[in-house]
Amino acid sequence: MGDRRFGPYRLENLLGNGGTGQVWRAHDTRTDRTVALKLLARELAADDTFRQRFQREARLAARLREPHVVPIHTFGEQDGQLFIDMAYVEGSDLGKLLRNDGRLPPATAVDVVTQIAAALDEAHKRGLVHRDVKPANIIVMPSGFAYLIDFGTVQQIGQSTLTGASLIIGTPGYMAPERFTGSADCRSDIYSLGCVLYETLTGRRPFPEPDAVGQMHAHLHTDPPHVTDCDPSFPAELDDVIVRALAKDPAQRFETAGEFAAAAHVALTRAAASATAPVPVIPATRTLTETVAPVDAAADGSLGAGPAAVVMPLRPGGGGAESPRAPVFPRRFAAAVALAALLVGGGSGWAVWQSDRHSPPAPAPSQQPVAPVATSTPAPITTAAPRQSTGGATSYVKPPPAPRLSASPSPEPSAESSELPPPASTAAPAPQNSAVLPPTSAALPPQATAAPTTTALPFPVPEGFTPPGAALPRADKPDVKSESETGEPGTPTQPPP
C-alpha cells in the first residue's frame, strides 16, 4: 500500500490500529463517498475457518438497524486481505478523548455507556457477540451522540473465540475472563462495557498491566477495582454496579447491557439527589411536651394531682413556641422560698420562746367575774383589791361589782353596794397596770382567792367584748338563778361580802 490505495479505496487517514487490524478513513472511488475502511490482519485471512466465519458474521452485522450501530456498506477480500466498508461518521473515538481531555464527567460517562448498551442489546438479540468493546471502537459526536463500530469481528453466540491460527480476537485489556478459555456470550460484552465505564470515570483501565500476559492474569484472578479508590466523591452504590459487571463468574453479572447501564444511572442519580436535597422543614403542627411540677388545688376546685403535661406548638422554623410558655415553678426559687420560710418560722419560734421565758408568771385565775371594759374610756384595771389603813390595822375594801350589759334598767342597789365607789366607767383613768400594793413590812392575812391579773389592751375594744375566762351575764335580767338551781323563782344573787 505504498501508493496508499487499497483496491478502489484511496486511504486518506489512519483512524485506529488494533490487534485485529487497522481502520482508515478512505474515499470510495466507485461511489464517490468517504467511508471508514477496516482492514483485518493478514494472519486472520490465512485461516480458512476464520475466513468463512467472518463472511457469515459480517453479513449478519450488516443487517443491524440500530441508531447507535454504524451501518456496514459491504465486506469482502481484496488481494488476500479481508476488509469491511462502513459508514464514516464525524467525531472522535472515546480512547482519543480520554487521552487528550482525561476522564469524563460522571453524567457524561454514564450517558455514553447507556447509548453503547443499546447497540449491544440489539446485536445480542440477533445472536451476535461484538468481542471487541473498547474506547477505540466508540465514536462520540460533538453533539454527544455515540456509535459502536467494528462489527466486522462479531461472533455468533456459542462459537469458539480462538481461531485455527491460535489468534485471539479482541483487546486483552478489556476481555472477559472466559474469553481466555475459549467461550463467549453476551455477558462477555457486558464485562468489556464495565471496563469502559471504569476507564471513562477514572481515566485509566481497571487492570493497567503493561503487557498482555499480565492483563490476562489480572482479568482471571484479581478482584475488580473500586472507583471510590480513585475518587471518594463517587457514590458507593456505583462501586457495587461496576463490581457486579466485572464479576469473574458470568452468572453473577447483569443479564443485559441495558440493565447494567440503568443501574449505573440510578446509582448516580440517587447520589446527586441526596447531595442537592433541601433540608426538611419541621412542620408547624409538631408539638413539644414538657413535664412541670405538680400544682396545688386551684381556686376552681381542680387538683394538681401529679405532673402536668404542657403541650406547646412550635414555630415553622422549629425555633420555639408560638404562644407564651406555661409558667414553670423554678427549682431555685422554690428552694429560696422554702429556706426563707424556714428562717422566718425559726425566728418567730425563738422570739416566742424568749418572750415566754422573760414574762412574769400569771396569777391563779379567780372565780370572781371580770368587769367589762368600756368602749369610751378604758377603765383602770387593778391587780389586787384596794385596802385602807387605819391606825396600825389594815382593812380591805370590797371591789365594786362589775356593770351588767343589759338594755333593761339596773335593779336597785343594796345597802352594801351603795357605799361602794362609783363604777369604773365613770372614774378617772388610771395608768396601765397601776395597783396599790401593801407595804412589804405589813403582815398580810391569808386570802382565799387572789384577784385576777389583767392587762390593759393597747387597742380599742368593741362593745360587748368579753375577756377570755369571764362568764357572759344575761342581758334580759339581773344575775338571777333559775328555779332549777334555787328552787325559788327569781332569787337574785349578790357577790359574797
Side-chain angles (χ1 to χ4, degrees), residues 288-445:
L288 173 66
T289 303
E290 180 175 338
T291 302
V292 298
V295 296
D296 296 331
D300 58 355
S302 60
L303 297 177
V310 181
V311 180
M312 299 178 296
L314 298 180
R315 294 193 182 98
E322 294 180 351
S323 60
R325 290 173 59 91
V328 180
F329 199 68
R331 294 183 179 178
R332 294 183 180 179
F333 182 72
V337 170
L339 181 60
L342 182 62
L343 293 177
V344 170
S348 300
W350 181 83
V352 172
W353 179 74
Q354 290 291 334
S355 176
D356 294 343
R357 181 181 179 185
H358 295 285
S359 62
S366 175
Q367 299 299 329
Q368 183 178 359
V370 182
V373 181
T375 58
S376 59
T377 303
I381 302 174
T382 60
T383 60
R387 64 181 182 271
Q388 295 179 355
S389 175
T390 57
T394 303
S395 62
Y396 291 90
V397 181
K398 183 186 299 184
R404 295 176 175 83
L405 300 177
S406 174
S408 62
S410 302
E412 293 295 329
S414 63
E416 294 178 1
S417 64
S418 62
E419 296 179 1
L420 296 177
S425 61
T426 59
Q432 183 178 2
N433 295 334
S434 65
V436 180
L437 300 176
T440 57
S441 62
L444 298 178

Side-chain angles (χ1 to χ4, degrees), residues 42 80-81 86 94 120 143 161 182 186 273 297 335 348 389 413 465 477 497:
R42 292 184 178 274
Q81 189 172 7
M86 301 173 290
L94 185 58
L120 288 175
S143 62
T161 58
C186 60
S348 300
S389 175
F465 175 78
K477 59 179 67 178

Side-chain angles (χ1 to χ4, degrees), residues 52-441:
Q52 295 175 4
R53 182 184 301 173
F54 166 76
Q55 293 177 353
R56 181 179 65 250
E57 294 169 351
R59 189 178 297 110
L60 294 174
R63 297 175 183 176
L64 294 177
R65 294 294 183 266
E66 209 283 327
H68 299 283
V69 175
V70 175
I72 296 178
H73 298 153
T74 186
F75 57 90
E77 182 179 359
Q78 179 71 32
D79 299 332
Q81 189 172 7
L82 301 175
F83 72 92
I84 301 175
D85 182 349
M86 301 173 290
Y88 176 77
V89 293
E90 294 288 345
S92 299
D93 66 82
L94 185 58
K96 186 180 295 185
L97 290 177
L98 295 175
R99 289 192 299 270
N100 296 338
D101 302 333
R103 62 182 185 176
L104 301 181
T108 303
V110 172
D111 179 63
V112 170
V113 168
T114 301
Q115 298 180 61
I116 302 305
L120 288 175
D121 284 343
E122 179 63 22
H124 296 163
K125 290 178 182 180
R126 296 183 176 271
L128 299 177
V129 181
H130 189 279
R131 295 197 299 174
D132 199 15
V133 179
K134 59 182 180 181
N137 284 336
I138 298 175
I139 303 297
V140 181
M141 306 292 290
S143 62
F145 196 87
Y147 291 96
L148 180 60
I149 63 173
D150 198 5
F151 274 89
T153 56
V154 295
Q155 175 191 358
Q156 282 186 311
I157 296 176
Q159 295 284 337
S160 175
T161 58
L162 299 177
T163 65
S166 299
L167 296 177
I168 299 176
I169 304 299
T171 305
Y174 305 91
M175 293 174 61
E178 64 271 14
R179 291 285 312 280
F180 300 102
T181 60
S183 62
D185 58 13
C186 60
R187 292 171 295 185
S188 301
D189 287 342
I190 296 174
Y191 182 97
S192 300
L193 189 61
C195 295
V196 171
L197 178 59
Y198 181 91
E199 186 172 356
T200 55
L201 291 172
T202 63
R204 64 178 186 177
R205 295 178 180 179
F207 303 106
E209 281 69 10
D211 52 32
V213 176
Q215 294 172 5
M216 180 178 66
H217 183 273
H219 284 294
L220 290 172
H221 304 290
T222 305
D223 293 334
H226 293 173
V227 293
T228 53
D229 294 339
C230 296
D231 190 347
S233 65
F234 288 122
E237 189 175 353
L238 191 59
D239 264 339
D240 299 337
V241 172
I242 296 179
V243 167
R244 181 180 175 184
L246 298 182
K248 306 301 181 184
D249 184 3
Q252 298 179 1
R253 301 173 197 159
F254 294 96
E255 292 295 330
T256 64
E259 182 183 355
F260 161 61
H265 178 75
V266 169
L268 199 63
T269 302
R270 286 179 180 176
S274 60
T276 59
V279 178
V281 179
I282 301 176
T285 57
R286 196 183 70 167
T287 58
L288 173 66
T289 303
E290 180 175 338
T291 302
V292 298
V295 296
D296 296 331
D300 58 355
S302 60
L303 297 177
V310 181
V311 180
M312 299 178 296
L314 298 180
R315 294 193 182 98
E322 294 180 351
S323 60
R325 290 173 59 91
V328 180
F329 199 68
R331 294 183 179 178
R332 294 183 180 179
F333 182 72
V337 170
L339 181 60
L342 182 62
L343 293 177
V344 170
S348 300
W350 181 83
V352 172
W353 179 74
Q354 290 291 334
S355 176
D356 294 343
R357 181 181 179 185
H358 295 285
S359 62
S366 175
Q367 299 299 329
Q368 183 178 359
V370 182
V373 181
T375 58
S376 59
T377 303
I381 302 174
T382 60
T383 60
R387 64 181 182 271
Q388 295 179 355
S389 175
T390 57
T394 303
S395 62
Y396 291 90
V397 181
K398 183 186 299 184
R404 295 176 175 83
L405 300 177
S406 174
S408 62
S410 302
E412 293 295 329
S414 63
E416 294 178 1
S417 64
S418 62
E419 296 179 1
L420 296 177
S425 61
T426 59
Q432 183 178 2
N433 295 334
S434 65
V436 180
L437 300 176
T440 57
S441 62

Side-chain angles (χ1 to χ4, degrees), residues 356 359-365 450-455:
D356 294 343
S359 62
T453 303
T454 60
T455 305

